[in-house]
Every structure is written in C-alpha cells, then in structure tokens.
Amino acid sequence: MKKKIFLVVVLSIVLFSVYYYWSNKYVNLYPVNLEHEEYIVNTNKIPNDFYKKMELVLNNYNEDYIVKNNIILIKNKKMNDLELIYNYTKKSNDSIWLSTIKR
C-alpha cells in the first residue's frame, strides 16, 4: 500500500514537472494570420521588420520574451494562444497604433 502511494506521488510530481517545463519553455515567435475564420501560423514569410515592431507590442503589454539572434522567443503557452498572437501581429502591422504607444 505504501509503495502504491509513493508511486502515485512520484508520478504526479514528474508529470507536473514535465507540464511546467513544457509550458514555460521559450519558442520562436511567428506571425499569426486569420484565414477563412481559422488562425494560421506563418513560418515561411516573416517580414524583415516584424520582430522590431513585435518587440514594441510585447513591451507595451508587459509580456516576457527573449531576443536571440534578432529573433523573439516567447513562452510556449503564449505561442499556443493563437488568438492572442494574432492580435499582437495585427497591432504590429498597425502603424497608427504603433505611433501612439510610448517607446
């Protein structure tokens, strides 16, 4: 009986650790587009100034990110929220909104 309880506790800790690591792992940020009412991650054609503009958006919303080799990395759980990243992508392409934020 004690062995089963120990096994369940250890397994729970391991599963929680794996989930925590996976959700907080940093991954590349890619633009997200809305096509036919479906969010599509665009990994092929990233505009040259995308990361500079996206950095302004992320700073404005106090998001955690890392810049590595001029590429922005965000937490995996944020990148999986395609609606949020779509909104950030949309704001990064909105020159009027970008001109109104504090730098």
Side-chain angles (χ1 to χ4, degrees):
M1 184 68 177
K2 287 182 178 182
K3 193 173 184 178
K4 286 183 181 181
I5 292 174
F6 178 75
L7 185 63
V8 167
V9 169
V10 168
L11 187 61
S12 298
I13 291 171
V14 168
L15 288 176
F16 176 76
S17 299
V18 168
Y19 171 76
Y20 185 78
Y21 171 77
W22 176 83
S23 64
N24 289 307
K25 179 181 166 188
Y26 282 88
V27 295
N28 288 350
L29 173 66
Y30 294 109
V32 175
N33 300 321
L34 186 63
E35 296 177 9
H36 309 291
E37 298 183 22
E38 186 176 335
Y39 295 108
I40 307 293
V41 177
N42 183 3
T43 59
N44 296 332
K45 299 176 185 175
I46 300 174
N48 293 338
D49 59 347
F50 171 74
Y51 290 114
K52 286 184 181 185
K53 291 178 179 179
M54 188 58 77
E55 195 168 3
L56 295 171
V57 174
L58 294 173
N59 283 333
N60 188 62
Y61 288 102
N62 297 321
E63 293 287 354
D64 290 334
Y65 66 92
I66 299 172
V67 178
K68 197 172 197 180
N69 298 327
N70 295 325
I71 295 174
I72 294 179
L73 305 172
I74 61 171
K75 291 187 178 183
N76 195 26
K77 63 184 172 186
K78 292 285 184 181
M79 191 61 210
N80 286 330
D81 187 353
L82 295 180
E83 185 176 0
L84 175 70
I85 302 302
Y86 167 72
N87 288 329
Y88 287 171
T89 302
K90 199 168 143 184
K91 287 190 184 284
S92 74
N93 292 321
D94 184 356
S95 59
I96 295 171
W97 185 85
L98 285 172
S99 68
T100 63
I101 63 172
K102 294 181 182 178
R103 295 181 189 209

